[in-house]
Structures are given as structure tokens and as C-alpha cells.
Amino acid sequence: MEAGAYVWCSADPKSDEAWVLAEVLKKKDDELELQQVDKTDKVFTRPAAAQGEDDEERKFEGVELANAKLSDQDRAEGRDNDLITLPHLHEPAILHAISERFFHGKIYTWTGPVLIAVNPFQRLPLYTDVSTLNFLPRLSCMNLLTMPIPRSCRIF
């Protein structure tokens, strides 16, 4: 994490946001000097976290590396469909990626085999009558009458 790198910092508890995007201005052994990206007049520091013997790089309290911003072409190709492809997969990266997809009208996001769905609070043209019919069981009334009932479901 060098000067010029973008990082996510845990926000002030009084803030509406959980994480803020910041740029590293200076890196010292015991602290990072950061500048909030959307409020360039806000400069703050983060102390170094306790370092274990196995830690390769110095960590700082409440600071996580940010992923590079995806281009419109990458987004159009669906490179943001699966969060597993992100270089840094942590809380702020997940929240940011899901938020970005939400604002582009994409309410479904994969994280490996797990599907994350965000309530869009509006009707979306995702489910047409034709696509909805594909989800209905292919059973007719006749099939229901002649279908064997498992023993555990029988009423005596």
C-alpha cells in the first residue's frame, strides 16, 4: 500500500456510510495519511494495527485495499457478475460492487455458488409472462389426480 493507492476506510460511527473511499497520501511505519476521495478537504490518519510474525505487509486499522474501477466495457462483458473474480474480496469491496451493480439495474450478483439478490424497490422488466411460465411446474390437473402420493404425505 503506497502513496497514490486507493483504499476503503471504516467511516466515522456518526456517518451514514460504513466505508469511505480514500487515497493514500503518505505511508509511515506507524500510520497512514489519507484523503477522502469525494471530499478532498478531508484528510485523516489511521494507526498501524498490531502486526503478527506471519504478516507480510503492515496493516492499518480499518483500512482495506480498493479494487480497480471497472470500465464500461468490462461491465458490459459481465466481469462484475461474480464477486469471486475481484482481486480483493472483503466487506467494503462486496458492498461497493453490489451497490454499483444496483445503480446499473443489476439486482443479482454471484459470489461463487451463492446468489445475492438486492430488493430493487421497483418493478423491473426482468420477468415477462413468457419467462414466468418457465418457472411454473409442468403439471396439469390430470397429472395431479393420477400422480402417486408418497406414504409420508397420505392422510388416513
Side-chain angles (χ1 to χ4, degrees), residues 11-18 20:
D12 180 8
K14 297 173 189 169
S15 173
D16 290 339
E17 297 183 27
V20 294

Side-chain angles (χ1 to χ4, degrees), residues 2-60:
E2 300 300 323
Y6 287 96
V7 295
W8 290 104
C9 299
S10 55
D12 180 8
K14 297 173 189 169
S15 173
D16 290 339
E17 297 183 27
W19 297 88
V20 294
L21 186 61
E23 182 179 354
V24 176
L25 297 177
K26 290 182 193 169
K27 179 184 176 185
K28 300 178 186 174
D29 287 339
D30 59 340
E31 72 177 9
L32 273 182
E33 184 176 329
L34 305 157
Q35 179 180 34
Q36 193 169 330
V37 170
D38 60 345
K39 297 179 184 172
T40 54
D41 60 329
K42 187 166 183 182
V43 176
F44 56 99
T45 60
R46 288 296 159 101
Q51 190 170 3
E53 293 176 14
D54 297 337
D55 291 343
E56 295 174 13
E57 188 176 338
R58 189 79 159 145
K59 302 237 182 222
F60 295 88

Side-chain angles (χ1 to χ4, degrees), residues 110-122:
W110 290 100
T111 302
V114 178
L115 176 65
I116 300 170
V118 179
N119 185 345
F121 300 106
Q122 64 183 342

Side-chain angles (χ1 to χ4, degrees), residues 29 33 38 60 62 68 76 85 91 113 116 118 128-129 143 145 151:
D29 287 339
E33 184 176 329
D38 60 345
F60 295 88
T85 62
E91 180 185 348
I116 300 170
V118 179
T128 63
D129 290 339
N143 287 348
L145 294 174
R151 284 184 179 251

